[in-house]
Amino acid sequence: HIEENKNIDAMILDNYVLGAEAEGLLKAILKLSPSAGIVVMHDDPETMSGKFSGMMVFVPPASDPNKIMLSLIEANSLAARRKS
């Protein structure tokens, strides 16, 4: 439960699991955990990254682990900017 844990540092989410309401869920997650770095695995990362520019990082689902780790670092940097 996101609302119960205020100390989430980072999240990796799969757009497929979020389903048809992904955009609304991502907005809610961002609101509930503004200090968390968020990486979303999405089939079309360019499309979604425009809607959430500067808020979270989007990567293809088949990304290698190094790409995902670098994306987490980038997402945490974005989260730190949101807090300041």
Side-chain angles (χ1 to χ4, degrees):
H1 298 270
I2 291 173
E3 64 274 3
E4 292 176 4
N5 189 349
K6 304 290 186 211
N7 298 322
I8 296 174
D9 292 325
M11 297 180 216
I12 300 174
L13 306 168
D14 188 328
N15 189 67
Y16 179 76
V17 174
L18 296 174
E21 298 298 322
E23 192 172 327
L25 288 171
L26 290 173
K27 287 178 183 177
I29 290 168
L30 191 62
K31 185 176 181 179
L32 290 170
S33 298
S35 63
I38 302 170
V39 175
V40 181
M41 299 169 103
H42 194 284
D43 290 327
D44 189 9
E46 290 80 26
T47 299
M48 291 300 286
S49 62
K51 294 178 182 180
F52 292 97
S53 179
M55 294 183 262
M56 54 189 76
V57 179
F58 292 84
V59 297
S63 297
D64 68 58
N66 290 330
K67 169 73 173 165
I68 294 171
M69 289 303 294
L70 290 173
S71 296
L72 275 172
I73 293 167
E74 181 182 351
N76 279 336
S77 176
L78 292 173
R81 285 188 216 137
R82 279 196 305 271
K83 289 194 304 189
S84 55

